[in-house]
Amino acid sequence: MAVVEVKLSFEELTKAQTYLQQLGLYDGEVDGIYGRLSEAAFVQFANALSIDTILDPNSQALTNKLLQMPTVVRHLLKIIGEGDRLFPKFTNAQRIFVNMGQADSNYLGFLDRGVNGSIAGSKKGLPNRNFAPSPLLNHIPAYADRLSSLPDGVNVVSYGEVAMLNGSQVRVRFRPYPAIGAIPNIENVGLEFLHSSIQQACICVGSVVNGQMLARWIGRDPLSNVQFWSSTKILPLLYTICQANQVQPNQAIANCAIADTQGNKIPRTFAEMAQRICAYDESNGMTSNGLSAMFKQFTTPLALQNWLIKITGNQKLTFQGRYGEAPYIEQPILRDPTGTNIINGVKDLHRGDNLISAYDLTRSVSQIAWHRHLTPANRLPAQWHSLSTLINAMGRDTARYVDAAIVALGLSYFIDNPVVISKMGFGYSDQRKQTELTYTACIQFVDRLAQSHDLPLPKMRSVNMTLRAVLNLRDPVREALEIDARMAATVAEILRRIVTEELI
């Protein structure tokens, strides 16, 4: 492969060869020529990138030097995109987790990693489970401010109204965000790279033009109504925010308390309960499922379903079920800090199915994240001061796919102001005899690898996605481990394509 093809200058390549040689990955001459030995060294280096790799100080310093070179990272992204390198990488990592007693089918290596990590001995049955806290943990308090900010068009840019897919002559157009209740045009071309196990997907990429967020929608079977498990738990929380803000528009919901009509439960703040749902912080009789079922009790099953239909326009969705457990509080009351009731719960219990589409979830998460940049007619009937509380909670989702992807792609030094809000879902369907994993998220960051006419020009990337993976191997344990690795690889590949602009 010629140097021009890899786009490393003689000086950059000799420097990279030196570092790779010192890491023990390259045993050729430091000659600035990209031959088979150089290619093999780059491939080994790319394959070794992992969020769980622990290096000695010297090796870590050399790795950091390589990953701070823009041309090296761009070349790594190209290497990783050749063939299916990511899935074997994450499958091997999952296998190591299992062999070391850090993961099993109940506590997976990526889905259940948790924003705070895990300390050895904290999980019964997995005494060796030990993961570091998320690299994004300290960023969470800044998420709402970052989402409310816009690129200035000079130091940080967006795509504009039209952009060209990298490596092609295909131009894509961003269109105005759809009005409440209107289903956008969702293109069915562009996600062919997804593995067949990803049965439903809906991706919405944003571009800021004149202060407004425009969008491009792409999908694979995005409108089929299926089970999205715990990913739908953000919807009762979102409904509660919308209703509370309509009653008291100036009252931030974070410090509002949820109380028991019967007085049997200690009142707790909305912020605490929302975080417990997303982070699976289960104690004092509170579970993620029970709390989510409780939030559904702020309205009747039909009213909640009709509210969601009105927002998304999906007339065929069903959203009247609960989450496998009784509500933590059967008839909750939402009270402001003065003790005034804002919303009173109802007696009607939610029973039935939660069958919605990938589009419904992508639409919902995009309306949360992009609220400040949508026209008033297209916004949810909610206030930013209260949506910020949900954003904070979703930042604490147990699934850390983006954390793993950033490191696996070598992007740690080129991603600024990251935001990752998400909600995972997972379960084995006895009816369908298969394991299903779902993930809905908004990922936003400033990409400092971006260029214009070969000159650095940081670009804001903002993408919302919902993915549903299905696996039937007639072995639920194997299915759980493999589907987690598949989702990790899928999120990483989507992120890689967003950065390289193969996916816009």
Side-chain angles (χ1 to χ4, degrees):
M1 187 180 293
V3 173
V4 67
E5 293 181 73
V6 297
K7 295 186 178 180
L8 271 75
S9 68
F10 177 84
E11 180 183 358
E12 289 167 337
L13 187 50
T14 54
K15 188 183 293 185
Q17 286 175 329
T18 300
Y19 296 149
L20 290 167
Q21 189 179 68
Q22 292 172 352
L23 282 169
L25 300 177
Y26 177 65
D27 56 6
E29 296 291 329
V30 178
D31 54 11
I33 299 173
Y34 193 88
R36 286 182 296 175
L37 292 179
S38 293
E39 182 177 31
F42 272 102
V43 169
Q44 288 185 70
F45 183 70
N47 290 340
L49 294 174
S50 168
I51 194 170
D52 296 297
T53 299
I54 299 175
L55 300 172
D56 63 77
N58 184 57
S59 296
Q60 187 64 64
L62 292 167
T63 297
N64 293 345
K65 287 179 180 179
L66 279 163
L67 294 179
Q68 290 175 53
M69 297 174 63
T71 50
V72 166
V73 176
R74 291 191 192 100
H75 186 53
L76 292 174
L77 292 172
K78 183 177 180 181
I79 288 172
I80 292 168
E82 294 175 349
D84 190 5
R85 294 189 185 277
L86 288 167
F87 181 59
K89 177 199 287 271
F90 288 115
T91 299
N92 185 56
Q94 189 86 273
R95 187 179 298 114
I96 292 171
F97 296 153
V98 172
N99 291 340
M100 293 180 65
Q102 289 187 291
D104 60 19
S105 59
N106 293 313
Y107 295 103
L108 296 165
F110 303 104
L111 181 79
D112 304 303
R113 179 175 291 248
V115 71
N116 293 307
S118 181
I119 300 173
S122 61
K123 290 291 185 186
K124 187 177 180 181
L126 284 175
N128 295 330
R129 187 175 178 85
N130 184 19
F131 292 120
S134 165
L136 300 178
L137 179 60
N138 293 330
H139 291 266
I140 295 173
Y143 280 0
D145 286 342
R146 291 174 182 174
L147 287 170
S148 66
S149 300
L150 292 173
D152 61 13
V154 178
N155 298 301
V156 179
V157 300
S158 195
Y159 294 100
E161 289 189 50
V162 178
M164 184 174 288
L165 294 177
N166 186 26
S168 76
Q169 296 299 312
V170 177
R171 292 181 181 272
V172 299
R173 181 173 294 277
F174 292 90
R175 302 186 184 279
Y177 195 88
I180 293 291
I183 298 177
N185 175 44
I186 305 175
E187 300 179 39
N188 60 7
V189 177
L191 299 183
E192 293 81 5
F193 66 90
L194 293 178
H195 187 264
S196 59
S197 63
I198 307 297
Q199 294 194 355
Q200 283 80 30
C202 185
I203 296 177
C204 177
V205 183
S207 178
V208 177
V209 177
N210 298 325
Q212 297 292 320
M213 188 68 80
L214 305 185
R216 181 179 183 235
W217 299 78
I218 320 161
R220 170 186 283 181
D221 193 22
L223 295 174
S224 288
N225 295 313
V226 293
Q227 187 172 8
F228 274 91
W229 300 88
S230 291
S231 289
T232 67
K233 289 177 179 178
I234 62 173
L235 299 174
L237 292 168
L238 190 56
Y239 171 85
T240 304
I241 289 173
C242 291
Q243 294 304 113
N245 287 171
Q246 287 179 291
V247 176
Q248 292 191 16
N250 297 322
Q251 177 59 60
I253 204 169
N255 295 321
C256 291
I258 298 174
D260 183 358
T261 308
Q262 307 300 320
N264 295 325
K265 302 286 174 63
I266 298 172
R268 296 178 184 271
T269 66
F270 178 97
E272 178 192 345
M273 290 187 166
Q275 285 191 26
R276 283 179 176 270
I277 286 171
C278 294
Y280 283 79
D281 180 3
E282 302 186 329
S283 61
N284 300 316
M286 289 178 282
T287 66
S288 179
N289 288 348
L291 290 173
S292 298
M294 176 195 73
F295 274 100
K296 279 203 163 193
Q297 291 303 124
F298 277 118
T299 189
T300 65
L302 186 59
L304 181 59
Q305 176 176 289
N306 288 340
W307 170 82
L308 185 57
I309 290 171
K310 181 180 178 181
I311 296 294
T312 69
N314 179 1
Q315 301 294 324
K316 297 182 180 180
L317 66 81
T318 302
F319 197 56
Q320 300 194 33
R322 55 170 67 173
Y323 294 99
E325 295 182 22
Y328 174 67
I329 298 174
E330 291 281 357
Q331 275 188 269
I333 301 171
L334 182 70
R335 290 177 176 153
D336 70 14
T338 70
T340 301
N341 289 3
I342 303 176
I343 311 177
N344 294 308
V346 300
K347 292 183 179 180
D348 308 50
L349 292 177
H350 290 245
R351 302 185 188 282
D353 294 321
N354 292 328
L355 301 176
I356 66 172
S357 70
Y359 153 71
D360 294 316
L361 280 170
T362 298
R363 168 88 183 226
S364 298
V365 76
S366 68
Q367 286 180 291
I368 295 168
W370 293 349
H371 181 82
R372 298 290 293 272
H373 314 309
L374 302 178
T375 62
N378 298 344
R379 291 178 181 172
L380 292 166
Q383 301 296 323
W384 188 246
H385 56 58
S386 295
L387 289 174
S388 297
T389 302
L390 181 53
I391 287 167
N392 187 283
M394 292 176 66
R396 300 172 188 276
D397 183 25
T398 62
R400 307 314 305 174
Y401 294 122
V402 179
D403 300 7
I406 290 171
V407 178
L409 298 173
L411 292 172
S412 299
Y413 286 99
F414 294 97
I415 284 183
D416 278 356
N417 299 326
V419 174
V420 180
I421 60 172
S422 61
K423 186 67 191 78
M424 66 77 169
F426 176 82
Y428 179 81
S429 171
D430 291 319
Q431 180 182 8
R432 295 180 290 275
K433 304 297 182 186
Q434 60 191 23
T435 299
E436 300 171 2
L437 194 160
T438 64
Y439 183 67
T440 189
C442 173
I443 305 166
Q444 181 171 299
F445 56 93
V446 174
D447 174 10
R448 298 204 172 276
L449 270 185
Q451 292 178 307
S452 177
H453 304 292
D454 292 328
L455 295 175
L457 185 59
K459 184 175 286 187
M460 188 190 82
R461 314 283 190 187
S462 191
V463 57
N464 303 277
M465 68 177 77
T466 299
L467 306 167
R468 178 175 178 266
V470 173
L471 207 54
N472 181 358
L473 303 173
R474 298 183 180 180
D475 182 344
V477 171
R478 182 184 163 198
E479 288 168 13
L481 297 167
E482 186 170 318
I483 205 169
D484 187 35
R486 175 60 66 187
M487 186 62 77
T490 301
V491 173
E493 178 60 15
I494 290 172
L495 183 60
R496 189 193 71 81
R497 287 174 178 254
I498 289 291
V499 171
T500 62
E501 298 195 353
E502 296 168 64
L503 175 63
I504 297 177

